[in-house]
Structures are given as structure tokens and as C-alpha cells.
Amino acid sequence: MPAYPQMFRLRQRIAGPLLDDVPGEVQRQLARLQLQHTILPGQTVAITAGSRGIANIAVITRAIVQHLQRLQARPLIVPAMGSHGGGTAAGQRQVIESYGITEEFCGCPIRSSMETMIVCQTDEGFPVHFDRTALQADHVLVCGRVKPHTDFVGDLQSGLAKMLLIGLGKHEGAKVYHRAIHDYDFGQIVRSVAARVLSKCRIVAGLGIVENSDDQTAKILAVGPDEFIAREQELLVLAKQWMPRLPFSQVDLLLIDEIGKNISGSGMDTNVVGRKFNDHAATGDELPRVRRIAVRRLTAASHGNAIGIGMAEFCRADLIRAADQRATWINGLTSGHISAAMWPLHFETDRQILDNALPTIGLREPRDARLLWIRNTLKLAEVEASAAFWNEAQARADLTILDSPRELQFDAVGNLPEFEFRKPH
């Protein structure tokens, strides 16, 4: 059995602003668009709700509803999440309700359906699917977070434009577009489909959200349909600047408390763990370079969808037991990221994971391993780091060391405690 490295806690300096009045900012941003000139009293407006765990998303959605109600419109909420939620209407409704987006809280009906209509063909020759309920509404307002995509690069990644095709395309549309990605560039597909949707599906506005590296709302921007692409490109630049990062670039073993759909579309953010182009190693000049990943749990908000677990080499066996294989496979098959739905080596306890993982990191002795332990890839304000990082951490102005190196503490079964953030003094 290998000796384990000693660990110490550090806190990172958090980049990016923080919005103090989120619902007020939603109102101010939407007011700029003067939607009363487009949305008439009594008209219906479908508001999108995605599967990501976006900070303040229920409050943001309710603020949109209230703004539309002041215009005497009739808002309704439609889940917009491709194949997520097990690819069923009930499953997708359950996902958004788990985020607090309920009829009672938001004050308007939720209309969840997997039915789509084909509105046209793209120049590339594939059909454009669009949620039937949203298409039958008088207007559609797209709400979503803008951030780097876990698989693709370019000046458009994960954001409002992607919601137009993958989110509102539902399962059928997502299958078509993910197949098309094998033949066409992601940016070309996004622009091609978004252009058709914007011209044919009565998109009245978008509300882009950017978060800071502490998973909090940093910026909200309302955009008209004619500026979706340009404004999203600008928001993506900010999202890249403010996104969370690991504090060190060379890691032997990354221990992650939890993965899930509410954390990232890929369960764990590949931009954070350095596996955007290869499931099990960084490529080219990609950073960080993480040799092994071990995962302890699946979030309850994932509703069993364990997509992304295939990017880990090790996990706890109870994560596998908690996973919904059907939902996970549907997500993997629809996205084309099949390997992300495969099971890693799994063990009953954290001690067994470390005993098996640490001898695989190379010539470095397990006691000297460069080990990082995090809650998840969204919350990186605090990190547990092994003693191998001690000297570098002491020399870094952006890091605050919270305690001295100490031994890992296991319970009687052989598991570590849950990663808990400490209250700042």
C-alpha cells in the first residue's frame, strides 16, 4: 500500500465582477430593448430553460417572466436541453424544476415536450428542428449562459446561438447537429442553423449570462435578434477571462468530489481539467496537464446522467450504482462523445482508489505525488493541494495558504470527508 502525500488548503484570488442585484439587472437589460414595440398585449412568449446549473437561474427566469407580464404578454417556459433529462418531456421538466424553475416560483406555465417541427433545410443539406411549443408561440426569448464549450473551439462556443440549435432542437435536432459535426466545422453549423432559426422562428430577444470564476453571476446582457452573434462573441471573451482554473498546471492525480450535468455539459469542465481534445490526456500546448482523474460522486441534480465519467480513470463504485445507464448512454450517443459514457475503474472506497491510482503516475513516489483535491470544476476558490506544491504556493501572490501540510484523514470504512469550503476570517 503506498504512502499518501500530505495535503494543505489554499485559496485562490477570484477574478471577475459580481452582480449585486441580479433580478434588477435583468429588468434593466430587457428594458433597453423596448420590447413593448414588438410584443403586443396578450401575445405568448416562450422562454428557454436549459439543463445547466446556472447561478441564480430561477431568479433570472422569474425576472424575465415578470418583465413580460408587465408588457401584458403571456409568458411560458420551455425546457431547451437537447437530449438531456433522459430524452423525455417529464425528465426535462424535472431537471429545470430541480433548479427552482417551477410554475409556482416563476408565475407562469411550463410546457415540456419533445416534439419538434422541421422549419427548413440548411445549405449543408440537413433539417433544422425546433421545439413545437416554442414555434407555436408568438415570440421566443432565449436565455442562457455564455462560456467556453467543453469540446469545441472558436469565437462561438456554448451560449445563446447553441441554444437555438441544440437546446430548442430537442433530441431530434441534437442528433442531427451532432452527426453533422463529423462532416462540418462546429462554427459553420452554429452559424448556419442560428441564421435559419433567427429568420424563421420569431426570436424576439436573448439574455446572455456570464459567470465569474466563483460560479456567481458576473454579467447579464440582453440582445436583439440582429446582434446575437456579435454580442455573444464579446461575452465569450469575458467568460474565458473569468472562468475557474486549477492553481497548478502539472498534476499527477486530480481528485474530484462530484461531477454532474448541473456542473458542466460534460460532467466535469474539460477546459478546467485539460481534456478538451482527448479524454485521457492533454494535447499540444493544452494546460493543465493532468495524468489521472478520480471522481467520488455524481450530483443529485444530474438525475442519474453520469456523462463525463468516461474521462476519469478511477471512480467510486457507488457513483456507478447511482448512475442511470440509459440517460448516460442517450447523452453520449446523441452528443457523439461515446467514450464519455464509459465506466472507469471503480472501487468501493477512496483509500482503494488512491492505493490503485498513485502507483500509476510514473516514477514519482506516491508520497511525493502532485495531488489536487477539489469539490467540482465550477467551484475552485479553495483547493486541497499536496506538499509537492508547497514551495510554489508560498511564492504565488494569487494564492493564500490556509494551513500547514497534514495527513489525509479517512473514516473507518476508508473514505475521505466531503470537501467543504471554509468561511473566510
Side-chain angles (χ1 to χ4, degrees):
M1 181 175 66
Y4 308 121
Q6 291 188 319
M7 306 294 291
F8 66 97
R9 179 68 64 97
L10 59 83
R11 182 174 292 133
Q12 300 193 78
R13 296 265 170 81
I14 301 302
L18 176 66
L19 270 180
D20 293 327
D21 180 13
V22 171
E25 184 64 9
V26 172
Q27 298 293 344
R28 288 186 288 273
Q29 287 293 322
L30 291 175
R32 287 194 309 103
L33 300 183
Q34 298 186 343
L35 296 177
Q36 67 271 19
H37 300 309
T38 306
I39 301 173
L40 302 178
Q43 288 189 326
T44 54
V45 184
I47 306 165
T48 67
S51 59
R52 303 296 188 260
I54 301 171
N56 301 306
I57 190 57
V59 171
I60 290 170
T61 304
R62 182 170 67 175
I64 296 171
V65 169
Q66 291 172 343
H67 184 84
L68 295 173
Q69 288 173 337
R70 291 190 188 99
L71 303 182
Q72 300 179 52
R74 293 186 293 134
L76 57 100
I77 296 168
V78 295
M81 58 185 77
S83 65
H84 303 165
T88 69
Q92 295 203 343
R93 180 171 183 140
Q94 183 182 24
V95 168
I96 66 171
E97 288 182 338
S98 72
Y99 296 150
I101 303 175
T102 65
E103 293 186 343
E104 294 75 19
F105 182 79
C106 294
C108 76
I110 295 172
R111 298 286 182 261
S112 184
S113 169
M114 298 306 294
E115 285 191 76
T116 63
M117 296 179 68
I118 296 175
V119 297
C120 63
Q121 299 277 324
T122 66
D123 288 342
E124 293 81 7
F126 54 82
V128 174
H129 286 263
F130 199 78
D131 179 276
R132 178 183 290 272
T133 301
L135 192 63
Q136 291 175 340
D138 294 304
H139 304 282
V140 180
L141 195 153
V142 180
C143 175
R145 180 177 58 196
V146 177
K147 68 186 294 288
H149 197 281
T150 55
D151 294 322
F152 306 110
V153 296
D155 58 357
L156 287 176
Q157 295 188 32
S158 185
L160 299 178
K162 181 171 173 280
M163 285 286 283
L164 294 176
L165 57 153
I166 303 294
L168 285 164
K170 312 300 287 212
H171 192 184
E172 290 304 313
K175 286 192 293 186
V176 171
Y177 307 139
H178 281 296
R179 286 173 58 197
I181 286 167
H182 293 288
D183 295 321
Y184 298 97
D185 175 78
F186 175 73
Q188 178 181 344
I189 294 169
V190 171
R191 283 174 165 79
S192 181
V193 176
R196 297 300 189 282
V197 170
L198 287 166
S199 67
K200 294 180 178 294
C201 298
R202 297 188 292 277
I203 309 298
V204 71
L207 195 74
I209 305 162
V210 182
E211 295 179 349
N212 62 28
S213 59
D214 199 25
D215 185 31
Q216 295 299 318
T217 311
K219 185 178 181 63
I220 294 174
L221 181 68
V223 300
D226 60 337
E227 55 180 357
F228 259 56
I229 303 302
R231 297 289 82 78
E232 182 171 328
Q233 289 171 326
E234 296 168 1
L235 292 178
L236 180 60
V237 172
L238 296 177
K240 289 179 178 178
Q241 293 174 1
W242 299 338
M243 71 178 294
R245 291 177 175 83
L246 296 179
F248 306 106
S249 60
Q250 302 290 332
V251 181
D252 294 319
L253 175 62
L254 176 63
L255 183 62
I256 306 176
D257 257 29
E258 59 184 7
I259 66 168
K261 292 300 293 186
N262 57 315
I263 293 167
S264 172
S266 57
M268 63 180 93
D269 193 329
T270 59
N271 297 283
V272 171
V273 302
R275 298 194 172 182
K276 189 161 184 170
F277 309 105
N278 184 308
D279 283 351
H280 295 287
T283 61
D285 59 356
E286 186 179 16
L287 293 175
R289 307 188 84 81
V290 177
R291 185 158 290 177
R292 298 284 185 260
I293 294 177
V295 180
R296 304 178 67 201
R297 288 186 298 277
L298 180 67
T299 63
S302 296
H303 302 282
N305 187 342
I307 195 72
I309 191 58
M311 294 186 290
E313 286 75 35
F314 303 91
C315 76
R316 284 246 294 262
D318 50 9
L319 187 155
I320 302 297
R321 290 189 286 268
D324 181 331
Q325 187 180 76
R326 178 181 176 276
T328 305
W329 284 13
I330 285 174
N331 198 168
L333 290 166
T334 303
S335 67
H337 196 176
I338 297 170
S339 56
M342 296 180 178
W343 303 145
L345 299 181
H346 41 285
F347 299 91
E348 291 297 330
T349 69
D350 296 326
R351 187 184 289 276
Q352 289 176 320
I353 288 176
L354 294 176
D355 288 348
N356 286 277
L358 288 172
T360 73
I361 64 173
L363 292 175
R364 189 182 293 268
E365 291 298 322
R367 181 76 172 178
D368 301 321
R370 296 170 296 191
L371 170 63
L372 291 183
W373 176 11
I374 64 174
R375 175 69 173 269
N376 56 53
T377 57
L378 266 184
K379 295 184 178 297
L380 293 170
E382 290 184 15
V383 174
E384 287 279 332
S386 66
F389 296 111
W390 178 257
N391 290 337
E392 182 181 347
Q394 286 185 309
R396 293 262 298 272
D398 62 321
L399 302 178
T400 299
I401 295 174
L402 301 181
D403 57 20
S404 299
R406 56 193 148 63
E407 300 295 334
L408 286 168
Q409 299 296 313
F410 297 91
D411 64 17
V413 176
N415 286 325
L416 295 165
E418 183 175 331
F419 190 106
E420 295 286 354
F421 290 93
R422 302 181 183 180
K423 293 181 180 180
H425 295 297

